[in-house]
């Protein structure tokens, strides 16, 4: 594994970079067993690389990118995943018109939802004071604007 792949070491280094790290992943334990082998690391130039999980909530689908440079805009990563092969209604074609957000759920309080501008760099999102990285795997949700899925979600201010 890359330098710094040890869990507690990388957790400290992320926190030093201004990134809040939670212990609870956002996916089931079966999915987590497959994902957790991929951990954030800093390359030789000091650039943070992270695995990223994209959740397509309307279809209960996920995509996983194992190694993403944190200076890239999140929308670029999502755009690479489009169009989605399971999209039977043609709504997941381009990043324009998509609602991208993260969820903070500690299992105690009601979950909170925060919208993300796809043009933001990944590192910028991770450093947002409301963001908590779920179990060393940044996780983002993508749903088309106007989707019924969004009706019951109230977005908080970042």
């Amino acid at each position: 594994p890359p330098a710094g792949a040890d869990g507690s070491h990388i957790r400290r280094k992320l926190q030093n970079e201004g990134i809040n790290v939670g212990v609870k992943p956002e996916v089931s334990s079966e999915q987590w067993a497959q994902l957790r082998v991929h951990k954030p690391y800093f390359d030789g130039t000091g650039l943070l690389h992270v695995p990223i999980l994209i959740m397509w909530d309307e279809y209960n689908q996920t995509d996983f990118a194992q190694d993403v440079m944190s200076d890239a805009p999140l929308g670029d990563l999502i755009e690479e995943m489009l169009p989605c092969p399971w999209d039977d209604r043609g709504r997941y074609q381009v990043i324009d018109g998509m609602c991208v957000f993260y969820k903070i759920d500690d299992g105690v309080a009601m979950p909170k939802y925060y919208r993300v501008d796809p043009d933001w760099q990944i590192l910028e999102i991770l450093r947002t004071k409301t963001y908590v990285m779920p179990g060393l795997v940044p996780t983002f949700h993508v749903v088309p604007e106007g989707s019924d899925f969004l009706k019951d979600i109230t977005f908080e201010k970042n």
Side-chain angles (χ1 to χ4, degrees):
D6 160 64
S8 61
H9 173 75
I10 193 67
R11 223 173 260 281
R12 273 193 308 279
K13 201 152 165 60
L14 290 169
Q15 288 163 341
N16 290 343
E17 291 288 321
I19 300 168
N20 295 315
V21 182
V23 291
K24 186 174 172 262
E26 203 174 309
V27 293
S28 71
S29 53
E30 295 82 34
Q31 285 175 297
W32 184 241
Q34 296 167 6
L35 300 179
R36 69 176 180 195
V37 297
H38 302 283
K39 291 190 171 63
Y41 70 94
F42 293 85
D43 66 19
T45 67
L47 180 66
L48 174 65
H49 293 240
V50 289
I52 292 186
L53 180 66
I54 300 294
M55 301 183 82
W56 313 92
D57 294 294
E58 276 191 330
Y59 285 85
N60 289 320
Q61 296 285 336
T62 58
D63 275 307
F64 184 65
Q66 297 175 9
D67 185 342
V68 182
M69 292 186 292
S70 64
D71 61 350
L74 181 59
D76 286 5
L77 172 66
I78 295 168
E79 192 100 83
E80 286 175 22
M81 298 173 175
L82 298 172
C84 296
W86 38 257
D87 177 18
D88 56 1
R89 292 186 276 168
R91 295 169 63 213
Y92 293 81
Q93 301 297 309
V94 293
I95 191 71
D96 294 337
M98 292 293 164
C99 175
V100 180
F101 62 97
Y102 60 86
K103 178 171 96 174
I104 302 298
D105 186 0
D106 62 7
V108 181
M110 289 295 290
K112 292 188 174 178
Y113 299 89
Y114 298 88
R115 191 180 281 261
V116 171
D117 183 328
D119 291 335
W120 291 352
Q121 286 186 341
I122 292 163
L123 185 58
E124 187 182 353
I125 298 167
L126 300 181
R127 283 181 169 155
T128 305
K129 67 176 186 272
T130 54
Y131 186 79
V132 179
M133 187 187 294
L136 295 179
V137 178
T139 303
F140 299 97
H141 301 258
V142 181
V143 177
E145 294 287 357
S147 164
D148 286 348
F149 186 87
L150 296 172
K151 276 200 257 185
D152 298 326
I153 292 179
T154 302
F155 289 100
E156 308 282 332
K157 292 231 182 297
N158 285 1

